[in-house]
Amino acid sequence: IWKSKIIYFSQNFKKIYYEIDSQLKHNIDENKVITELNNNGFFFAPSIFNSDTMKVINDEFDKLISDKSYENSTGNFKNVTQLRLKQIKLLDEKLLYFYSFFSNKFLKKIISTYFRTNHKYNHQIFFQKTSLTNKPPANEIHFDKLHQIKIWIFVNSVDENNGPIELFLGTHKKNKEKRLNFYKKQDLDLELDNRDHYKHTKGRKITGPEGSVLIFDSDLFHRASPVNEGKRLIARSHSISTTTLNFRNKQKYNH
């Protein structure tokens, strides 16, 4: 812990934090994020970070994903490496750019404004490398039983061929009602959604250059796409509401 505190208060860290913070504030309008989250269920901003910043972010990602000492939490999925870490672990490992991004107060304010309720900001952070695969994790249309706001940073460019996430705009509104009703019934086996309507429709596939940022509500219908060429590198965080945490804890207690 004391090592983390030394890093946090160092001049080098403050410089990096300012670098990340200034690029976020320059490229993102807070009010626009809230409006688009409310109306569409997501906000996307391409090319938030410049090439110099992305070079270091790529280096940090490579260092982390190649460290065999970390557990591969999706070992049952072929060609997918996924790591789950806490914010403090990023600081411990001196991944200062990722820590500066995922601890950013500007983003935290946006998420807090959208939630309008108690929540844990970026309580989990994932680093995912997906290589060639026809069946990536979460490739079926779904929304999450445990409600979260997810923040993604594209570590490499994402196009139609290397696994863009597909979002179904506006579906978060009705799905929210279903999810809250699901919480009241306290039944983990309850089928939450009727996806038949969307199986034969196309959502919006989110493509963009490295350094792009996606924020979306997990009540939105979404699914992963196959990686037909190259690979997809994503770092993402989950902020979870207290309502959802209480539901999850009750389920653990009851089971």
Side-chain angles (χ1 to χ4, degrees):
I1 295 175
W2 65 268
K3 289 182 180 179
S4 298
K5 288 183 178 179
I6 290 173
I7 294 170
Y8 185 80
F9 289 107
S10 70
Q11 290 300 316
N12 184 41
F13 171 74
K14 290 178 181 178
K15 179 182 177 182
I16 293 169
Y17 185 91
Y18 175 77
E19 178 183 334
I20 294 293
D21 188 61
S22 61
Q23 291 179 71
L24 284 169
K25 289 178 178 177
H26 179 75
N27 291 291
I28 291 179
D29 181 281
E30 179 182 349
N31 294 324
K32 185 178 181 181
V33 179
I34 299 301
T35 298
E36 294 198 12
L37 282 172
N38 282 321
N39 292 339
N40 299 321
F42 82 97
F43 169 83
F44 180 69
S47 302
I48 291 292
F49 300 112
N50 62 40
S51 58
D52 290 338
T53 299
M54 286 310 302
K55 183 181 184 304
V56 184
I57 285 177
N58 268 279
D59 289 343
E60 288 191 355
F61 188 93
D62 288 344
K63 174 186 175 183
L64 189 62
I65 213 75
S66 63
D67 189 338
K68 304 303 181 184
S69 66
Y70 289 110
E71 178 185 0
N72 181 351
S73 60
T74 55
N76 57 321
F77 292 105
K78 186 178 180 181
N79 296 334
V80 178
T81 301
Q82 179 171 283
L83 311 172
R84 180 174 58 193
L85 300 175
K86 299 289 187 181
Q87 278 192 36
I88 192 66
K89 188 66 176 177
L90 301 181
L91 206 56
D92 289 342
E93 297 298 323
K94 299 182 181 179
L95 303 171
L96 301 187
Y97 277 76
F98 275 124
Y99 181 82
S100 296
F101 177 75
F102 287 119
S103 67
N104 182 262
K105 294 179 180 179
F106 173 66
L107 288 179
K108 182 177 182 180
K109 181 183 177 184
I110 291 173
I111 301 304
S112 297
T113 302
Y114 181 69
F115 259 130
R116 291 183 297 181
T117 186
N118 292 332
H119 63 280
K120 286 191 175 182
Y121 175 62
N122 291 350
H123 77 299
Q124 291 182 331
I125 300 169
F126 297 84
F127 297 84
Q128 189 177 78
K129 176 182 177 181
T130 308
S131 300
L132 298 177
T133 177
N134 289 323
K135 291 187 177 181
N139 65 323
E140 297 289 339
I141 296 173
H142 67 286
F143 73 96
D144 298 352
K145 292 180 180 180
L146 299 179
H147 181 233
Q148 299 169 100
I149 307 302
K150 301 183 179 183
I151 303 175
W152 287 25
I153 177 171
F154 289 17
V155 180
N156 70 334
S157 296
V158 177
D159 58 32
E160 288 279 345
N161 295 314
N162 69 330
I165 187 172
E166 185 174 3
L167 305 177
F168 293 80
L169 280 64
T171 56
H172 63 304
K173 298 174 183 178
K174 287 187 177 180
N175 288 342
K176 177 181 179 180
E177 296 176 7
K178 294 177 184 177
R179 175 178 53 78
L180 291 175
N181 184 54
F182 165 68
Y183 287 177
K184 289 179 183 178
K185 293 185 177 181
Q186 296 287 303
D187 184 2
L188 275 175
D189 297 321
L190 180 68
E191 181 61 35
L192 279 181
D193 50 59
N194 181 359
R195 291 169 283 186
D196 292 343
H197 175 72
Y198 297 95
K199 286 182 178 179
H200 305 291
T201 62
K202 291 183 179 180
R204 176 174 169 181
K205 292 185 177 180
I206 308 300
T207 61
E210 66 174 14
S212 298
V213 171
L214 169 67
I215 304 173
F216 74 98
D217 188 324
S218 71
D219 279 339
L220 203 65
F221 271 136
H222 57 281
R223 65 179 169 191
S225 299
V227 178
N228 298 316
E229 294 180 4
K231 58 182 181 279
R232 189 193 70 174
L233 309 177
I234 296 290
R236 57 186 172 89
S237 65
H238 296 176
S239 297
I240 190 167
S241 69
T242 302
T243 301
T244 298
L245 280 172
N246 289 340
F247 167 77
R248 186 184 68 181
N249 291 338
K250 286 180 181 179
Q251 288 296 327
K252 284 183 178 180
Y253 178 77
N254 291 333
H255 290 78

